[in-house]
Amino acid sequence: NAGVTQTPKFQVLKTGQSMTLQCAQDMNHNSMYWYRQDPGMGLRLIYYSASEGTTDKGEVPNGYNVSRLNKREFSLRLESAAPSQTSVYFCASTTGGTGELFFGEGSRLTVL
Amino acid sequence: QKEVEQDPGPLSVPEGAIVSLNCTYSNSAFQYFMWYRQYSRKGPELLMYTYSSGNKEDGRFTAQVDKSSKYISLFIRDSQPSDSATYLCAMSWVDSSYKLIFGSGTRLLVRP
């Protein structure tokens, strides 16, 4: 059982380049989330999708876009990367109930 | 002021010690309280979940919530080197679409 799978695991970009982080879950979860984790800041919500076909902004959405491609997949796009977007990005999903989030292993992004 | 405050540590204890980890929060609407454990270069995984006030015990782990003081705790008894990780508190509220607000995490090191 793969759970939540994120690709790529590592990426180095130059300022101004674009890229898409991919996330897929095989647990038939309705809700999916993108968080970023920075030292001393904890996990901060970028965007989320409560159900297929809907997306909403979280705490730190500026500079990002998302697409809920289908129930399994939720992608995060950086249109013009900035050094401030250097971070570890986590995708998560939940079926609801207790709200337990299941996380992927993270995507480490460095913007030079 | 952050909504959720957590001492970043690191906290270093000898094997077998009792560990106390804490978070304070400011939003009285929080009803769901969680502790996640995160090993180095991995995604967070749910350790304990509590709804509203009270205590919950699971093996060597006890979670406490004091809503009157806006204070939550995680106790680890008979700590083991395998408990060495970063512990993140997380909170949510009713009708939040399971969006979690995380503390910044406390890094714990259990010395053999």
Side-chain angles (χ1 to χ4, degrees):
Chain A
N1 189 350
V4 178
T5 303
Q6 293 182 229
T7 55
K9 288 185 167 43
F10 301 93
Q11 185 72 49
V12 178
L13 291 178
K14 294 181 180 178
T15 297
Q17 288 185 319
S18 62
M19 78 158 299
T20 299
L21 300 177
Q22 307 284 356
C23 175
Q25 52 90 9
D26 61 2
M27 296 174 283
N28 201 34
H29 287 171
N30 291 321
S31 303
M32 298 185 72
Y33 309 78
W34 277 106
Y35 284 87
R36 60 178 288 174
Q37 186 173 35
D38 303 291
M41 300 293 291
L43 286 150
R44 292 181 292 168
L45 183 64
I46 305 170
Y47 269 93
Y48 69 102
S49 171
S51 61
E52 187 179 355
T54 69
T55 60
D56 285 288
K57 295 178 181 179
E59 181 185 355
V60 288
N62 291 344
Y64 305 96
N65 285 302
V66 290
S67 295
R68 183 74 183 266
L69 305 170
N70 48 54
K71 191 172 184 179
R72 289 186 63 246
E73 298 172 289
F74 189 37
S75 63
L76 178 71
R77 182 161 177 84
L78 286 71
E79 292 291 352
S80 178
S84 61
Q85 293 178 306
T86 293
S87 188
V88 182
Y89 292 84
F90 286 98
C91 178
S93 68
T94 184
T95 190
T98 61
E100 175 183 1
L101 295 187
F102 292 83
F103 285 85
E105 296 214 332
S107 297
R108 285 159 179 78
L109 174 66
T110 300
V111 183
L112 302 174
Chain B
Q1 182 188 6
K2 290 183 182 178
E3 275 192 290
V4 179
E5 299 277 2
Q6 186 175 7
D7 188 328
L11 180 62
S12 181
V13 301
E15 183 175 353
I18 296 175
V19 175
S20 173
L21 303 168
N22 311 294
C23 286
T24 59
Y25 62 95
S26 57
N27 190 343
S28 58
F30 288 143
Q31 292 281 1
Y32 305 101
F33 303 91
M34 283 150 268
W35 287 94
Y36 280 78
R37 179 174 61 195
Q38 184 177 22
Y39 291 113
S40 181
R41 298 195 170 270
K42 297 291 186 181
E45 54 183 356
L46 183 68
L47 191 60
M48 297 287 283
Y49 167 88
T50 309
Y51 170 70
S52 194
S53 284
N55 296 355
K56 186 172 184 178
E57 188 172 322
D58 184 1
R60 296 184 295 111
F61 299 90
T62 300
Q64 289 185 351
V65 175
D66 182 349
K67 291 187 69 180
S68 63
S69 301
K70 296 190 177 68
Y71 188 87
I72 71 170
S73 301
L74 177 70
F75 298 95
I76 307 174
R77 292 182 298 280
D78 188 24
S79 56
Q80 302 295 310
S82 58
D83 294 328
S84 297
T86 296
Y87 290 80
L88 300 146
C89 62
M91 306 176 190
S92 188
W93 61 101
V94 177
D95 296 330
S96 67
S97 297
Y98 308 106
K99 294 178 290 186
L100 298 185
I101 307 299
F102 283 86
S104 56
T106 299
R107 186 175 161 210
L108 171 66
L109 175 64
V110 181
R111 307 186 306 272

